[in-house]
Amino acid sequence: MRRESRRMNVGLIGLGNMGRGMATSLLRAGHALTVYNRTPGRTSDLAGAIIAGTPERASTGDVLITILSDDTAIESLLPHILPALSAQTIHVSMSTISVACCDRLAQAHRAAGRSFLSAPVWGRPPLAAAGQLMIIPAGAPADIERCRPVFEALGQRIHPVGDKPSLANVAKLSGNFLTAGIIEGLAEAFVLAQKSGIEPTTFLALLRATLFNIPMQATYADIIAHEKFEPAGFRAVLGLKDISLVQEAAAAVHVPMPLASLLHDNLMSAVASGRGDLDWTIVARLAAERAGLP
């Protein structure tokens, strides 16, 4: 059961598929929201939000959320947002970024005397819009507690993983690696069943009745069975980015991850064949093509 949420002044930078859903959830929960996006048109239908003309304008409330695509995007914004943060503002990076990038962000905030949390999320865009994400915060416990009303507006579960912000990114990347592995396993299983004579929807019904008690697996199996690769909930090009970050994090601590190399190559093939903007389950189509299926 959720607590009574305290109304906060929240800035949100980044209105991609996830950011727009998060903005909707924050407004529904009654938080005062200021948004900024490099492409102004994406702010047009967020009734109740203040539209900021600059990233600095969105960085002055109780909490600043950044939800951006990669390391380059967040680090290019840092010179704009860091000087604008007040001593009371907590910057919460909810992006899936590299561990090294998160460490650099944390150090920059410490040097400036400003508060910083990393809190990446699990969940596809519909869950973001419904306030049903799973949130993985890391950083100072007092800062996590101050942000709880915001986290509760965005997520159904909050799982702190430590005092060091980048531990959240280690957890998120490790989880995304598992997710990519599940997708690859589903892709190969569906192709084996189909090429042996079992219709994908028949195999899907079997899995739903037996092995699937995990919603994530059921969601991805449904996409694969019906080849619903667009609109993408999570683009293959972003999956490639995340698995590349997994490999980078693993290399930094000398952890061999052979499956990560396979996943990287399959996602690279999807991007190289011009399908990077399709859902990352597109690896199922690649598996079918390798097997000679139409």
Side-chain angles (χ1 to χ4, degrees):
M1 186 173 181
R2 295 191 180 190
R3 305 177 185 181
E4 186 75 19
S5 290
R6 179 169 64 89
R7 186 176 188 268
M8 302 186 79
N9 291 313
V10 182
L12 189 150
I13 295 177
L15 292 172
N17 289 341
M18 294 296 289
R20 288 183 63 78
M22 292 163 70
T24 298
S25 291
L26 289 165
L27 289 168
R28 185 174 57 247
H31 295 293
L33 182 65
T34 301
V35 298
Y36 171 79
N37 196 68
R38 285 179 298 180
T39 307
R42 296 190 68 85
T43 65
S44 59
D45 58 349
L46 288 174
I50 296 172
I51 311 304
T54 65
E56 290 88 345
R57 175 66 183 84
S59 305
T60 58
D62 300 311
V63 175
L64 168 65
I65 294 170
T66 50
I67 178 73
L68 300 163
S69 59
D70 54 26
D71 292 13
T72 300
I74 180 62
E75 291 194 292
S76 67
L77 271 176
L78 192 62
H80 299 279
I81 63 178
L82 190 54
L85 297 173
S86 75
Q88 288 72 45
T89 305
I90 301 174
H91 176 197
V92 183
S93 169
M94 304 190 83
S95 308
T96 301
I97 54 176
S98 71
V99 176
C101 178
C102 187
D103 284 336
R104 291 192 295 271
L105 294 176
Q107 174 56 35
H109 284 74
R110 281 195 299 272
R114 296 297 181 259
S115 298
F116 176 75
L117 296 176
S118 183
V121 300
W122 277 321
R124 291 168 70 87
L127 292 181
Q132 295 292 304
L133 296 169
M134 287 178 282
I135 301 173
I136 315 161
D143 288 342
I144 293 174
E145 191 59 31
R146 278 184 58 205
C147 291
R148 186 168 291 274
V150 171
F151 292 155
E152 289 182 342
L154 296 173
Q156 58 176 321
R157 296 178 186 171
I158 304 165
H159 295 280
V161 292
D163 294 352
K164 183 180 179 182
S166 63
L167 290 178
N169 297 88
V170 173
K172 174 64 189 295
L173 292 172
S174 299
N176 275 18
F177 164 70
L178 287 172
T179 301
I182 288 169
I183 290 172
E184 180 64 27
L186 286 168
E188 294 180 19
F190 268 91
V191 167
L192 174 60
Q194 183 179 359
K195 196 165 186 183
S196 300
I198 302 173
E199 287 297 319
T201 52
T202 301
F203 187 53
L204 175 62
L206 171 64
L207 293 178
R208 282 177 168 168
T210 55
L211 299 180
F212 284 174
N213 293 315
I214 303 175
M216 177 179 66
Q217 289 183 339
T219 296
Y220 285 126
D222 184 74
I223 293 171
I224 289 169
H226 295 100
E227 297 202 328
K228 297 185 296 187
F229 304 128
E230 54 184 338
F234 188 66
R235 292 183 295 144
V237 68
L238 295 179
L240 176 61
K241 181 263 295 185
D242 284 3
I243 297 303
S244 298
L245 295 181
V246 169
Q247 292 178 305
E248 177 186 318
V253 290
H254 307 292
V255 174
M257 298 184 74
L259 180 56
S261 297
L262 171 64
L263 297 171
H264 178 276
D265 288 350
N266 286 345
L267 287 163
M268 179 69 82
S269 294
V271 173
S273 63
R275 291 177 276 195
D277 286 332
L278 299 180
D279 196 87
W280 65 335
T281 48
I282 192 62
V283 294
R285 174 88 312 257
L286 271 63
E289 291 170 0
R290 290 195 298 269
L293 291 174

mmCIF file of all heavy atoms in Angstrom, residues 195-233:
data_model
loop_
_atom_site.group_PDB
_atom_site.id
_atom_site.type_symbol
_atom_site.label_atom_id
_atom_site.label_comp_id
_atom_site.label_asym_id
_atom_site.label_seq_id
_atom_site.Cartn_x
_atom_site.Cartn_y
_atom_site.Cartn_z
ATOM 1 N N LYS A 195 9.864 -24.318 -36.916
ATOM 2 C CA LYS A 195 10.457 -25.058 -38.028
ATOM 3 C C LYS A 195 10.167 -26.562 -37.914
ATOM 4 O O LYS A 195 10.208 -27.287 -38.908
ATOM 5 C CB LYS A 195 11.950 -24.803 -38.098
ATOM 6 C CG LYS A 195 12.525 -25.224 -39.457
ATOM 7 C CD LYS A 195 13.896 -24.666 -39.721
ATOM 8 C CE LYS A 195 14.323 -25.021 -41.158
ATOM 9 N NZ LYS A 195 15.690 -24.566 -41.438
ATOM 10 N N SER A 196 9.837 -27.001 -36.706
ATOM 11 C CA SER A 196 9.483 -28.412 -36.513
ATOM 12 C C SER A 196 8.011 -28.680 -36.772
ATOM 13 O O SER A 196 7.579 -29.832 -36.727
ATOM 14 C CB SER A 196 9.841 -28.837 -35.085
ATOM 15 O OG SER A 196 11.222 -28.676 -34.841
ATOM 16 N N GLY A 197 7.223 -27.603 -37.006
ATOM 17 C CA GLY A 197 5.830 -27.783 -37.361
ATOM 18 C C GLY A 197 4.816 -27.285 -36.368
ATOM 19 O O GLY A 197 3.613 -27.493 -36.536
ATOM 20 N N ILE A 198 5.251 -26.628 -35.306
ATOM 21 C CA ILE A 198 4.323 -26.082 -34.305
ATOM 22 C C ILE A 198 4.099 -24.605 -34.598
ATOM 23 O O ILE A 198 5.060 -23.830 -34.679
ATOM 24 C CB ILE A 198 4.868 -26.250 -32.881
ATOM 25 C CG1 ILE A 198 5.136 -27.723 -32.581
ATOM 26 C CG2 ILE A 198 3.888 -25.665 -31.856
ATOM 27 C CD1 ILE A 198 5.839 -27.952 -31.248
ATOM 28 N N GLU A 199 2.851 -24.201 -34.750
ATOM 29 C CA GLU A 199 2.540 -22.793 -34.990
ATOM 30 C C GLU A 199 2.968 -21.951 -33.780
ATOM 31 O O GLU A 199 2.793 -22.378 -32.628
ATOM 32 C CB GLU A 199 1.041 -22.609 -35.237
ATOM 33 C CG GLU A 199 0.572 -23.120 -36.579
ATOM 34 C CD GLU A 199 1.214 -22.352 -37.720
ATOM 35 O OE1 GLU A 199 1.341 -21.110 -37.617
ATOM 36 O OE2 GLU A 199 1.610 -22.991 -38.718
ATOM 37 N N PRO A 200 3.514 -20.738 -34.026
ATOM 38 C CA PRO A 200 3.961 -19.893 -32.911
ATOM 39 C C PRO A 200 2.864 -19.627 -31.876
ATOM 40 O O PRO A 200 3.141 -19.639 -30.672
ATOM 41 C CB PRO A 200 4.401 -18.601 -33.608
ATOM 42 C CG PRO A 200 4.812 -19.037 -34.971
ATOM 43 C CD PRO A 200 3.883 -20.150 -35.337
ATOM 44 N N THR A 201 1.631 -19.389 -32.333
ATOM 45 C CA THR A 201 0.572 -19.105 -31.368
ATOM 46 C C THR A 201 0.211 -20.344 -30.543
ATOM 47 O O THR A 201 -0.171 -20.231 -29.373
ATOM 48 C CB THR A 201 -0.681 -18.572 -32.089
ATOM 49 O OG1 THR A 201 -1.033 -19.468 -33.152
ATOM 50 C CG2 THR A 201 -0.416 -17.180 -32.654
ATOM 51 N N THR A 202 0.348 -21.525 -31.134
ATOM 52 C CA THR A 202 0.109 -22.764 -30.385
ATOM 53 C C THR A 202 1.177 -22.955 -29.318
ATOM 54 O O THR A 202 0.887 -23.311 -28.174
ATOM 55 C CB THR A 202 0.102 -23.970 -31.338
ATOM 56 O OG1 THR A 202 -0.924 -23.793 -32.310
ATOM 57 C CG2 THR A 202 -0.126 -25.271 -30.583
ATOM 58 N N PHE A 203 2.431 -22.700 -29.697
ATOM 59 C CA PHE A 203 3.526 -22.817 -28.738
ATOM 60 C C PHE A 203 3.375 -21.777 -27.627
ATOM 61 O O PHE A 203 3.609 -22.065 -26.445
ATOM 62 C CB PHE A 203 4.857 -22.650 -29.462
ATOM 63 C CG PHE A 203 6.062 -22.917 -28.611
ATOM 64 C CD1 PHE A 203 6.182 -24.098 -27.896
ATOM 65 C CD2 PHE A 203 7.094 -21.992 -28.540
ATOM 66 C CE1 PHE A 203 7.303 -24.348 -27.104
ATOM 67 C CE2 PHE A 203 8.216 -22.230 -27.761
ATOM 68 C CZ PHE A 203 8.324 -23.413 -27.040
ATOM 69 N N LEU A 204 2.942 -20.559 -28.000
ATOM 70 C CA LEU A 204 2.716 -19.509 -27.004
ATOM 71 C C LEU A 204 1.650 -19.940 -25.999
ATOM 72 O O LEU A 204 1.814 -19.758 -24.786
ATOM 73 C CB LEU A 204 2.286 -18.211 -27.702
ATOM 74 C CG LEU A 204 1.885 -17.046 -26.788
ATOM 75 C CD1 LEU A 204 3.057 -16.608 -25.922
ATOM 76 C CD2 LEU A 204 1.363 -15.875 -27.624
ATOM 77 N N ALA A 205 0.553 -20.512 -26.486
ATOM 78 C CA ALA A 205 -0.507 -20.963 -25.584
ATOM 79 C C ALA A 205 0.018 -22.033 -24.631
ATOM 80 O O ALA A 205 -0.342 -22.051 -23.437
ATOM 81 C CB ALA A 205 -1.684 -21.495 -26.395
ATOM 82 N N LEU A 206 0.848 -22.931 -25.134
ATOM 83 C CA LEU A 206 1.444 -23.958 -24.282
ATOM 84 C C LEU A 206 2.295 -23.334 -23.186
ATOM 85 O O LEU A 206 2.200 -23.707 -22.007
ATOM 86 C CB LEU A 206 2.293 -24.894 -25.141
ATOM 87 C CG LEU A 206 3.168 -25.901 -24.389
ATOM 88 C CD1 LEU A 206 2.313 -26.877 -23.596
ATOM 89 C CD2 LEU A 206 4.102 -26.617 -25.348
ATOM 90 N N LEU A 207 3.149 -22.379 -23.566
ATOM 91 C CA LEU A 207 4.020 -21.738 -22.581
ATOM 92 C C LEU A 207 3.208 -20.983 -21.533
ATOM 93 O O LEU A 207 3.524 -21.028 -20.342
ATOM 94 C CB LEU A 207 4.984 -20.781 -23.291
ATOM 95 C CG LEU A 207 6.028 -21.421 -24.210
ATOM 96 C CD1 LEU A 207 6.865 -20.341 -24.876
ATOM 97 C CD2 LEU A 207 6.923 -22.389 -23.452
ATOM 98 N N ARG A 208 2.173 -20.299 -21.973
ATOM 99 C CA ARG A 208 1.334 -19.559 -21.029
ATOM 100 C C ARG A 208 0.664 -20.488 -20.022
ATOM 101 O O ARG A 208 0.469 -20.136 -18.855
ATOM 102 C CB ARG A 208 0.259 -18.772 -21.785
ATOM 103 C CG ARG A 208 0.772 -17.503 -22.433
ATOM 104 C CD ARG A 208 -0.335 -16.832 -23.213
ATOM 105 N NE ARG A 208 0.028 -15.484 -23.625
ATOM 106 C CZ ARG A 208 -0.662 -14.769 -24.510
ATOM 107 N NH1 ARG A 208 -1.753 -15.293 -25.088
ATOM 108 N NH2 ARG A 208 -0.285 -13.559 -24.824
ATOM 109 N N ALA A 209 0.314 -21.688 -20.471
ATOM 110 C CA ALA A 209 -0.382 -22.630 -19.599
ATOM 111 C C ALA A 209 0.565 -23.406 -18.695
ATOM 112 O O ALA A 209 0.097 -24.048 -17.740
ATOM 113 C CB ALA A 209 -1.190 -23.610 -20.450
ATOM 114 N N THR A 210 1.874 -23.336 -18.976
ATOM 115 C CA THR A 210 2.799 -24.171 -18.222
ATOM 116 C C THR A 210 3.933 -23.370 -17.584
ATOM 117 O O THR A 210 3.953 -23.161 -16.369
ATOM 118 C CB THR A 210 3.382 -25.269 -19.138
ATOM 119 O OG1 THR A 210 3.972 -24.660 -20.296
ATOM 120 C CG2 THR A 210 2.295 -26.238 -19.573
ATOM 121 N N LEU A 211 4.868 -22.901 -18.384
ATOM 122 C CA LEU A 211 6.111 -22.340 -17.856
ATOM 123 C C LEU A 211 6.036 -20.882 -17.448
ATOM 124 O O LEU A 211 6.885 -20.404 -16.691
ATOM 125 C CB LEU A 211 7.227 -22.488 -18.909
ATOM 126 C CG LEU A 211 7.580 -23.913 -19.332
ATOM 127 C CD1 LEU A 211 8.683 -23.875 -20.375
ATOM 128 C CD2 LEU A 211 8.009 -24.747 -18.134
ATOM 129 N N PHE A 212 5.046 -20.147 -17.964
ATOM 130 C CA PHE A 212 5.079 -18.691 -17.794
ATOM 131 C C PHE A 212 4.287 -18.222 -16.586
ATOM 132 O O PHE A 212 3.081 -18.004 -16.650
ATOM 133 C CB PHE A 212 4.538 -17.994 -19.045
ATOM 134 C CG PHE A 212 5.508 -17.981 -20.192
ATOM 135 C CD1 PHE A 212 5.122 -17.504 -21.420
ATOM 136 C CD2 PHE A 212 6.803 -18.444 -20.032
ATOM 137 C CE1 PHE A 212 6.012 -17.499 -22.482
ATOM 138 C CE2 PHE A 212 7.688 -18.436 -21.088
ATOM 139 C CZ PHE A 212 7.295 -17.970 -22.318
ATOM 140 N N ASN A 213 5.015 -18.036 -15.491
ATOM 141 C CA ASN A 213 4.434 -17.344 -14.347
ATOM 142 C C ASN A 213 5.098 -15.986 -14.152
ATOM 143 O O ASN A 213 4.806 -15.290 -13.195
ATOM 144 C CB ASN A 213 4.604 -18.187 -13.079
ATOM 145 C CG ASN A 213 3.777 -19.452 -13.141
ATOM 146 O OD1 ASN A 213 2.623 -19.405 -13.527
ATOM 147 N ND2 ASN A 213 4.366 -20.569 -12.768
ATOM 148 N N ILE A 214 6.028 -15.649 -15.052
ATOM 149 C CA ILE A 214 6.756 -14.383 -14.965
ATOM 150 C C ILE A 214 6.235 -13.450 -16.050
ATOM 151 O O ILE A 214 6.367 -13.747 -17.239
ATOM 152 C CB ILE A 214 8.271 -14.608 -15.142
ATOM 153 C CG1 ILE A 214 8.787 -15.598 -14.088
ATOM 154 C CG2 ILE A 214 9.026 -13.288 -15.046
ATOM 155 C CD1 ILE A 214 10.236 -15.979 -14.266
ATOM 156 N N PRO A 215 5.603 -12.315 -15.693
ATOM 157 C CA PRO A 215 5.010 -11.432 -16.713
ATOM 158 C C PRO A 215 5.980 -11.012 -17.793
ATOM 159 O O PRO A 215 5.606 -10.913 -18.958
ATOM 160 C CB PRO A 215 4.529 -10.233 -15.888
ATOM 161 C CG PRO A 215 4.296 -10.787 -14.521
ATOM 162 C CD PRO A 215 5.345 -11.842 -14.328
ATOM 163 N N MET A 216 7.259 -10.775 -17.445
ATOM 164 C CA MET A 216 8.210 -10.324 -18.454
ATOM 165 C C MET A 216 8.359 -11.363 -19.551
ATOM 166 O O MET A 216 8.352 -11.039 -20.741
ATOM 167 C CB MET A 216 9.574 -10.050 -17.815
ATOM 168 C CG MET A 216 10.645 -9.632 -18.820
ATOM 169 S SD MET A 216 12.226 -9.286 -18.044
ATOM 170 C CE MET A 216 12.685 -10.905 -17.432
ATOM 171 N N GLN A 217 8.490 -12.626 -19.176
ATOM 172 C CA GLN A 217 8.632 -13.664 -20.175
ATOM 173 C C GLN A 217 7.378 -13.760 -21.041
ATOM 174 O O GLN A 217 7.464 -13.902 -22.261
ATOM 175 C CB GLN A 217 8.908 -15.008 -19.504
ATOM 176 C CG GLN A 217 10.297 -15.106 -18.888
ATOM 177 C CD GLN A 217 10.560 -16.475 -18.294
ATOM 178 O OE1 GLN A 217 9.651 -17.222 -17.997
ATOM 179 N NE2 GLN A 217 11.837 -16.783 -18.112
ATOM 180 N N ALA A 218 6.207 -13.662 -20.404
ATOM 181 C CA ALA A 218 4.963 -13.748 -21.161
ATOM 182 C C ALA A 218 4.831 -12.586 -22.139
ATOM 183 O O ALA A 218 4.392 -12.764 -23.281
ATOM 184 C CB ALA A 218 3.769 -13.771 -20.206
ATOM 185 N N THR A 219 5.232 -11.390 -21.708
ATOM 186 C CA THR A 219 5.168 -10.216 -22.580
ATOM 187 C C THR A 219 6.043 -10.403 -23.806
ATOM 188 O O THR A 219 5.611 -10.190 -24.951
ATOM 189 C CB THR A 219 5.606 -8.955 -21.820
ATOM 190 O OG1 THR A 219 4.679 -8.707 -20.757
ATOM 191 C CG2 THR A 219 5.655 -7.741 -22.737
ATOM 192 N N TYR A 220 7.287 -10.810 -23.592
ATOM 193 C CA TYR A 220 8.202 -10.958 -24.718
ATOM 194 C C TYR A 220 7.817 -12.132 -25.614
ATOM 195 O O TYR A 220 7.977 -12.068 -26.833
ATOM 196 C CB TYR A 220 9.633 -11.092 -24.216
ATOM 197 C CG TYR A 220 10.216 -9.777 -23.746
ATOM 198 C CD1 TYR A 220 10.772 -9.629 -22.488
ATOM 199 C CD2 TYR A 220 10.194 -8.655 -24.578
ATOM 200 C CE1 TYR A 220 11.303 -8.423 -22.060
ATOM 201 C CE2 TYR A 220 10.717 -7.444 -24.166
ATOM 202 C CZ TYR A 220 11.261 -7.328 -22.904
ATOM 203 O OH TYR A 220 11.776 -6.126 -22.495
ATOM 204 N N ALA A 221 7.305 -13.194 -25.011
ATOM 205 C CA ALA A 221 6.869 -14.321 -25.833
ATOM 206 C C ALA A 221 5.714 -13.921 -26.742
ATOM 207 O O ALA A 221 5.644 -14.330 -27.904
ATOM 208 C CB ALA A 221 6.452 -15.493 -24.940
ATOM 209 N N ASP A 222 4.797 -13.110 -26.232
ATOM 210 C CA ASP A 222 3.673 -12.647 -27.045
ATOM 211 C C ASP A 222 4.164 -11.806 -28.221
ATOM 212 O O ASP A 222 3.684 -11.953 -29.352
ATOM 213 C CB ASP A 222 2.710 -11.833 -26.171
ATOM 214 C CG ASP A 222 1.470 -11.414 -26.927
ATOM 215 O OD1 ASP A 222 0.608 -12.274 -27.168
ATOM 216 O OD2 ASP A 222 1.365 -10.226 -27.296
ATOM 217 N N ILE A 223 5.116 -10.927 -27.966
ATOM 218 C CA ILE A 223 5.675 -10.098 -29.044
ATOM 219 C C ILE A 223 6.320 -10.978 -30.104
ATOM 220 O O ILE A 223 6.123 -10.784 -31.315
ATOM 221 C CB ILE A 223 6.701 -9.105 -28.479
ATOM 222 C CG1 ILE A 223 6.019 -8.070 -27.581
ATOM 223 C CG2 ILE A 223 7.454 -8.400 -29.617
ATOM 224 C CD1 ILE A 223 6.990 -7.183 -26.824
ATOM 225 N N ILE A 224 7.090 -11.963 -29.670
ATOM 226 C CA ILE A 224 7.797 -12.837 -30.607
ATOM 227 C C ILE A 224 6.819 -13.690 -31.407
ATOM 228 O O ILE A 224 6.931 -13.823 -32.630
ATOM 229 C CB ILE A 224 8.809 -13.719 -29.847
ATOM 230 C CG1 ILE A 224 9.984 -12.854 -29.357
ATOM 231 C CG2 ILE A 224 9.317 -14.864 -30.723
ATOM 232 C CD1 ILE A 224 10.910 -13.564 -28.386
ATOM 233 N N ALA A 225 5.825 -14.257 -30.710
ATOM 234 C CA ALA A 225 4.882 -15.149 -31.392
ATOM 235 C C ALA A 225 4.103 -14.425 -32.479
ATOM 236 O O ALA A 225 3.811 -14.988 -33.537
ATOM 237 C CB ALA A 225 3.919 -15.765 -30.380
ATOM 238 N N HIS A 226 3.758 -13.163 -32.218
ATOM 239 C CA HIS A 226 2.949 -12.400 -33.171
ATOM 240 C C HIS A 226 3.790 -11.420 -33.992
ATOM 241 O O HIS A 226 3.233 -10.644 -34.783
ATOM 242 C CB HIS A 226 1.846 -11.637 -32.425
ATOM 243 C CG HIS A 226 0.850 -12.541 -31.760
ATOM 244 N ND1 HIS A 226 0.891 -12.834 -30.402
ATOM 245 C CD2 HIS A 226 -0.196 -13.241 -32.261
ATOM 246 C CE1 HIS A 226 -0.095 -13.644 -30.098
ATOM 247 N NE2 HIS A 226 -0.771 -13.917 -31.206
ATOM 248 N N GLU A 227 5.103 -11.439 -33.787
ATOM 249 C CA GLU A 227 6.029 -10.548 -34.505
ATOM 250 C C GLU A 227 5.590 -9.081 -34.419
ATOM 251 O O GLU A 227 5.595 -8.338 -35.407
ATOM 252 C CB GLU A 227 6.203 -11.001 -35.958
ATOM 253 C CG GLU A 227 6.828 -12.390 -36.075
ATOM 254 C CD GLU A 227 7.483 -12.651 -37.416
ATOM 255 O OE1 GLU A 227 6.993 -12.111 -38.429
ATOM 256 O OE2 GLU A 227 8.499 -13.375 -37.438
ATOM 257 N N LYS A 228 5.264 -8.665 -33.214
ATOM 258 C CA LYS A 228 4.833 -7.279 -32.982
ATOM 259 C C LYS A 228 6.051 -6.428 -32.607
ATOM 260 O O LYS A 228 6.177 -5.949 -31.477
ATOM 261 C CB LYS A 228 3.771 -7.234 -31.880
ATOM 262 C CG LYS A 228 2.503 -7.989 -32.234
ATOM 263 C CD LYS A 228 1.415 -7.820 -31.176
ATOM 264 C CE LYS A 228 1.795 -8.409 -29.848
ATOM 265 N NZ LYS A 228 0.667 -8.398 -28.867
ATOM 266 N N PHE A 229 6.941 -6.248 -33.572
ATOM 267 C CA PHE A 229 8.211 -5.585 -33.305
ATOM 268 C C PHE A 229 8.122 -4.057 -33.350
ATOM 269 O O PHE A 229 9.107 -3.373 -33.051
ATOM 270 C CB PHE A 229 9.273 -6.075 -34.295
ATOM 271 C CG PHE A 229 9.454 -7.569 -34.290
ATOM 272 C CD1 PHE A 229 9.391 -8.291 -35.473
ATOM 273 C CD2 PHE A 229 9.669 -8.254 -33.097
ATOM 274 C CE1 PHE A 229 9.556 -9.662 -35.473
ATOM 275 C CE2 PHE A 229 9.830 -9.630 -33.086
ATOM 276 C CZ PHE A 229 9.772 -10.343 -34.274
ATOM 277 N N GLU A 230 6.975 -3.543 -33.753
ATOM 278 C CA GLU A 230 6.748 -2.097 -33.699
ATOM 279 C C GLU A 230 5.291 -1.814 -33.387
ATOM 280 O O GLU A 230 4.421 -2.636 -33.722
ATOM 281 C CB GLU A 230 7.197 -1.413 -34.995
ATOM 282 C CG GLU A 230 6.619 -1.974 -36.272
ATOM 283 C CD GLU A 230 7.208 -1.283 -37.501
ATOM 284 O OE1 GLU A 230 7.706 -0.152 -37.383
ATOM 285 O OE2 GLU A 230 7.142 -1.872 -38.582
ATOM 286 N N PRO A 231 5.032 -0.709 -32.688
ATOM 287 C CA PRO A 231 6.032 0.247 -32.182
ATOM 288 C C PRO A 231 6.902 -0.376 -31.095
ATOM 289 O O PRO A 231 6.445 -1.228 -30.338
ATOM 290 C CB PRO A 231 5.175 1.383 -31.616
ATOM 291 C CG PRO A 231 3.889 0.719 -31.244
ATOM 292 C CD PRO A 231 3.659 -0.349 -32.282
ATOM 293 N N ALA A 232 8.130 0.058 -31.075
ATOM 294 C CA ALA A 232 9.089 -0.526 -30.143
ATOM 295 C C ALA A 232 8.861 -0.013 -28.732
ATOM 296 O O ALA A 232 8.768 1.196 -28.507
ATOM 297 C CB ALA A 232 10.506 -0.183 -30.586
ATOM 298 N N GLY A 233 8.794 -0.942 -27.788
ATOM 299 C CA GLY A 233 8.816 -0.543 -26.384
ATOM 300 C C GLY A 233 10.225 -0.228 -25.931
ATOM 301 O O GLY A 233 10.452 0.639 -25.091
#
